[in-house]
Amino acid sequence: MDAIRLSNVSKTFDGLRAVADLSMSVPEGSLFGLLGPNGAGKTTTIRMILSIILPDAGSIAVLGKPAGQDVNKFIGYLPEERGLYRKMKVGDMLMFMAELKGVDKAAGRRGIDHWLERLDLLSWKKRRVEELSKGMQQKLQFIATILHQPRLMILDEPFSGLDPINVNLLKEIVLEMSRGGCTVIFSTHRMEQVEQMCDAICLINKAQLVLHGDPKSIRREYGKNTVVVDFEGAPDSILGEWPGVEKYNSSGRWAEVRLKRDADSREYLQYLVRHFRLNKFEVVEPSLEEIFIEKVRASNEADLDRSEA
């Protein structure tokens, strides 16, 4: 069974198209990436899944039922913007949030102490929420999201404001819950997180679906015509002067270079060693970030062509 299925869903606000004829499915038990640039329609899609707003057209099924309040008690939602009661004490606020999801007090107390200890917040249990740092508040909201052991989690930029240690801790917990059967949806623009964790992705741009599938198959489809280079010496502009280069992204000493389909990577290597000291030269499948940028750019150019026609 699909945990979520959207069929030809559309939503417009004051004449502005937010989601257009979107169809996608999220397999039960999967880790799913909902991707797109700012304003693409990700948040609107999430709000329709949660029935915070209703679609103008199409249908949405969640956990085998029409989207609505009957299934929301099985969902844990972590919004990008925090929704915490700042004047409440940490423990009291978590108990209130747990009871809203139908958790009894005894189970709630056990769960609160367990998760506060695991996320290194137990000593803050009797402090007011407003006394916590932004990173602590992000961890607190994550606890509120999972206290009722949801069957479906929707996480909107879940690692925002966290240091690398706490990012890894939350990843570990999310993976544990996924292995236990929970379906997880990430809404993010951080491609490296998606590539590491997700089984499948959906890329939305300007309200429309432009890519849907599993990351490995998507990368394989684009072929091995990308070269990763760690270099020293000459200016990085020389990377793109070889005629077989389609484009490149460079950070000064490291670059990801896309070659044209008929280009020979061995000839490119010979070209590079004449100009640089190479610490690394590797032919790889393109990164998900590179594919993401290319698909968004192509989608934007197609819209521009249609508007000029």
Side-chain angles (χ1 to χ4, degrees), residues 255-274:
E256 190 172 74
V257 183
R258 170 70 72 87
L259 302 180
K260 296 176 181 177
R261 289 196 176 274
D262 58 350
D264 189 331
S265 60
R266 293 170 296 182
E267 293 180 7
Y268 187 50
L269 174 59
Q270 293 170 3
Y271 165 80
L272 292 179
V273 296
R274 294 198 297 269

Side-chain angles (χ1 to χ4, degrees), residues 167-187:
V167 167
N168 286 334
L169 178 57
L170 260 64
K171 282 182 181 179
E172 181 182 302
I173 294 169
V174 168
L175 290 172
E176 285 177 10
M177 296 185 69
S178 176
R179 287 192 290 269
C182 181
T183 304
V184 182
I185 297 179
F186 286 103
S187 177

Side-chain angles (χ1 to χ4, degrees), residues 218-230:
I218 290 169
R219 291 179 63 192
R220 201 159 42 237
E221 181 183 333
Y222 276 72
K224 284 195 172 185
N225 63 333
T226 297
V227 176
V228 173
V229 183
D230 184 344

Side-chain angles (χ1 to χ4, degrees), residues 15 107 110 118 132 183 186 197 207 255 289 293:
R110 289 193 300 271
R118 180 143 185 207
L132 276 63
T183 304
F186 286 103
M197 298 182 70
E289 181 172 7
I293 292 170

Side-chain angles (χ1 to χ4, degrees), residues 23 44 68 77 102-103 110 118 126 135 220 251 279 292 305:
S23 295
T44 299
Y77 173 44
V103 180
R110 289 193 300 271
R118 180 143 185 207
K126 296 184 179 180
R220 201 159 42 237
S251 61
N279 300 316
F292 173 90
D305 289 343

Side-chain angles (χ1 to χ4, degrees), residues 241-253:
E241 293 178 2
W242 191 64
V245 171
E246 185 172 298
K247 62 179 181 177
Y248 71 95
N249 295 313
S250 173
S251 61
R253 291 189 53 181

